[in-house]
Amino acid sequence: MNKYDILPTKSNLALSIKNDTTGRNSNLYDLLRLLNFQQDSLSIAINGSWGTGKTFFIKQCQLMLDNAFSCEDDEILQAIEKLYPGEEGLANIRKTHFRTAYYDAWEHDSEEDPIASLIRCLATTDWSTNVKESLIKAADIGSSILQATTNIDLKGLVKTLKDNSSDLITPDNLEQIKKRFNATLAELAPDQGKLTIFVDELDRCKPTYAVKLLERIKHYFNNPNVTFIFAVDLSQLQYTINQYYGLQFNGYQYLDRFFDLVISLSAPDIDKYFDNTKNILEAVQHFEKSDPKNSYYYLFCKELINHFSFSIRQINHFYLKTNSAAYNLLDQILNPQGIAFQSERNGKFIIYEFLLPLMNALNQADIDEYNNFISGNASKETLNILAKSKYFTKYYKDISINESNIDIIKGVSDIYNAIFNDQDQTSLRISNECTIDYPSKYKKKLIDACSLLSPEIKLD
């Protein structure tokens, strides 16, 4: 059983840009162009709900900023050629030199003060040796900010944060220390260039840490050569702010103080994502060998993804479960053993090609409705997902070709009730082309398959 999530390795990042895997290359290029033409410091929020690919997107951005001017990696060079539309496009993202750092706030939210981990992030970033002295200086000055409240060692860059020779913060010298700190940060940027710090997972942090991080950055990192890019879910971050300051506090206005620009991450291009995600359509190979995307299974799964507005992460999890649950069951239908009639085979297609993916989607999107569904109490809205499906309707009509006045809504209701509510029905005749024998026996089969606790689940 293989996961479908694409890890943000350098190779995967480059390949995703080369293939425009999520259809966001144009967004990536526009962000790079914006950064190249900015005049002053900016604090930018890349807004998107959890699982939409924010981390992957900002790491794509970091990869391009780091390699726009010089690169010896063929994969990255191919990605650069794919991303930038011609010489003019390339010039737009080579206007400014960048040095970057990536900071995962969630990894550090158990620490006392974010300044310490931010400095450590800068100190451990793999930059060339010509900025070492500036890093040491930044850590040394930063230790003055930390000394009164923390006990974190930046060993290797300064002798110790408790060095008595370091300046202690007092009301009289605070502004002077801040100016020294920002002047040193400017030295971390390339000549005529900028330092860009990517801050990720802020919305997952404890309220105290999230608020402190935002306020520390606002107060201490005030330099025209330093840009912060936050990957956040603003709705969740606003909730975090309200937890800290109280429910009556206006979290949105508070966040507006920190972000100069808010850029909403566009929805991924699902077709491009499927085309470039290895084996994500594995179960579909049972159907249309030449073009799996023409199978009812694939098209209905895509309908479910759109209906429930699944994020990239949710799509990956949905296919991991649905492929594993459906693969062997579908294989038994397409390579039937002991299935006497074509009509029974068609009935099983309805069960495994449509009902099982619907159950997996419900299990992921709305666990309460899933429990209602398997208990025989599915809502009208849930059953209408099938009844109003373009592809279920087409299949249902295809196998009912000899029937007149087909009532799809009644047909869905009959199938559902026969499986989940009628223990005594020996056969459900949908048409001359389709029957389901002993339909209630499929209730347990479907529930076991959906829970992945069935011997028929594909694990390899």
Side-chain angles (χ1 to χ4, degrees):
M1 182 182 292
N2 295 318
K3 293 172 65 176
Y4 300 110
D5 298 288
I6 306 175
L7 298 176
T9 63
K10 184 179 292 187
S11 178
N12 284 342
L13 291 169
L15 186 62
S16 69
I17 297 171
K18 178 183 174 183
N19 296 331
D20 196 9
T21 301
T22 61
R24 287 173 172 161
N25 271 10
S26 60
N27 302 134
L28 180 58
Y29 171 76
D30 288 338
L31 176 58
L32 294 172
R33 186 163 59 95
L34 183 155
L35 294 173
N36 271 268
F37 279 83
Q38 73 179 82
Q39 298 298 317
D40 298 312
S41 174
L42 283 179
S43 178
I44 301 172
I46 304 296
N47 179 39
S49 57
W50 289 347
T52 53
K54 297 187 299 298
T55 295
F56 206 85
F57 182 77
I58 64 171
K59 287 198 170 186
Q60 286 179 319
C61 181
Q62 183 181 21
L63 183 73
M64 293 294 96
L65 291 178
D66 287 341
N67 293 279
F69 279 90
S70 61
C71 178
E72 297 179 357
D73 187 303
D74 288 340
E75 282 187 315
I76 297 176
L77 285 172
Q78 290 172 10
I80 292 172
E81 292 172 359
K82 175 69 176 180
L83 180 63
Y84 307 134
E87 291 300 320
E88 181 181 353
L90 188 59
N92 284 338
I93 58 84
R94 281 183 169 173
K95 188 174 183 295
T96 305
H97 283 261
F98 288 90
R99 187 169 287 131
T100 71
Y102 174 83
Y103 175 74
D104 188 329
W106 196 26
E107 286 186 357
H108 300 283
D109 82 338
S110 61
E111 298 184 13
E112 189 172 355
D113 197 296
I115 288 288
S117 53
L118 264 175
I119 293 171
R120 186 186 298 111
C121 169
L122 297 176
T124 57
T125 298
D126 186 19
W127 289 333
S128 58
T129 55
N130 62 351
V131 296
K132 288 293 184 183
E133 290 302 318
S134 296
L135 286 172
I136 294 171
K137 195 185 301 183
D140 196 15
I141 300 172
S143 70
S144 300
I145 299 172
L146 295 168
Q147 182 153 358
T149 57
T150 64
N151 185 27
I152 302 170
D153 187 17
L154 296 178
K155 191 175 180 179
L157 295 173
V158 289
K159 292 180 181 179
T160 175
L161 285 175
K162 291 183 176 180
D163 189 342
N164 291 329
S165 65
S166 295
D167 296 328
L168 291 174
I169 294 179
T170 68
D172 295 330
N173 67 7
L174 177 58
E175 289 304 317
Q176 182 181 2
I177 291 177
K178 287 166 62 175
K179 287 180 180 179
R180 287 175 55 199
F181 186 58
N182 277 286
T184 303
L185 287 175
E187 297 175 19
L188 300 181
D191 291 340
Q192 307 298 315
K194 293 183 180 294
L195 170 66
T196 299
I197 302 173
F198 295 90
V199 179
D200 201 5
E201 306 284 17
L202 181 62
D203 43 42
R204 294 180 183 269
C205 293
K206 293 180 295 188
T208 51
Y209 192 84
V211 170
K212 192 177 287 187
L213 176 59
L214 285 171
E215 294 183 346
R216 290 291 193 271
I217 290 175
K218 179 73 172 179
H219 293 155
Y220 295 110
F221 290 79
N222 183 22
N223 188 288
N225 293 323
V226 180
T227 292
F228 280 87
I229 298 179
F230 296 83
V232 295
D233 180 341
L234 285 179
S235 62
Q236 291 295 326
L237 186 56
Q238 182 177 342
Y239 176 72
T240 297
I241 299 301
N242 287 341
Q243 281 189 305
Y244 185 83
Y245 283 109
L247 295 178
Q248 302 305 314
F249 188 78
N250 192 322
Y252 184 81
Q253 286 189 359
Y254 173 86
L255 292 174
D256 192 52
R257 296 169 49 205
F258 298 99
F259 302 135
D260 300 302
L261 294 175
V262 174
I263 298 173
S264 294
L265 196 60
S266 64
D269 185 317
I270 299 301
D271 286 323
K272 282 189 175 182
Y273 187 67
F274 285 159
D275 288 342
N276 291 285
T277 308
K278 185 179 179 181
N279 293 331
I280 199 167
L281 303 176
E282 184 178 12
V284 177
Q285 307 302 324
H286 275 310
F287 298 99
E288 300 284 345
K289 298 294 184 182
S290 59
D291 186 5
K293 292 201 300 181
N294 278 333
S295 72
Y296 287 119
Y297 174 80
Y298 166 77
L299 294 169
F300 181 60
C301 284
K302 185 177 175 183
E303 277 189 330
L304 291 172
I305 288 167
N306 290 327
H307 176 84
F308 290 106
S309 299
F310 282 164
S311 68
I312 289 177
R313 183 183 296 137
Q314 289 172 318
I315 291 170
N316 292 339
H317 294 173
F318 172 65
Y319 266 101
L320 169 66
K321 192 170 185 178
T322 302
N323 278 339
S324 299
Y327 192 95
N328 288 338
L329 294 169
L330 291 169
D331 185 55
Q332 292 172 19
I333 299 171
L334 289 156
N335 301 285
Q337 297 179 357
I339 300 176
F341 304 104
Q342 180 72 23
S343 61
E344 183 184 357
R345 187 180 183 206
N346 285 336
K348 287 188 175 183
F349 268 118
I350 287 178
I351 291 170
Y352 295 134
E353 195 174 7
F354 294 101
L355 276 181
L356 184 56
L358 174 60
M359 289 173 63
N360 278 318
L362 280 175
N363 185 272
Q364 183 167 311
D366 188 343
I367 191 63
D368 290 334
E369 181 56 23
Y370 170 77
N371 288 331
N372 289 336
F373 188 96
I374 65 176
S375 300
N377 299 307
S379 68
K380 179 181 178 181
E381 289 74 17
T382 294
L383 295 182
N384 277 343
I385 296 174
L386 270 178
K388 294 182 178 180
S389 163
K390 174 182 177 181
Y391 303 105
F392 177 81
T393 298
K394 188 176 187 303
Y395 182 76
Y396 193 83
K397 288 182 176 180
D398 284 347
I399 59 175
S400 306
I401 193 168
N402 296 324
E403 303 289 333
S404 60
N405 300 320
I406 297 171
D407 187 340
I408 303 294
I409 295 177
K410 182 179 183 302
V412 169
S413 180
D414 289 345
I415 294 168
Y416 173 74
N417 285 320
I419 295 173
F420 289 93
N421 284 318
D422 192 343
Q423 299 298 316
D424 299 323
Q425 191 168 354
T426 57
S427 181
L428 174 65
R429 180 179 178 275
I430 297 171
S431 72
N432 291 333
E433 304 294 328
C434 181
T435 61
I436 300 176
D437 292 335
Y438 301 100
S440 63
K441 73 180 180 181
Y442 291 102
K443 177 178 179 178
K444 185 176 187 305
K445 285 179 174 288
L446 285 166
I447 294 172
D448 286 349
C450 197
S451 68
L452 302 185
L453 296 177
S454 166
E456 296 174 323
I457 297 303
K458 177 180 172 59
L459 299 176
D460 56 11

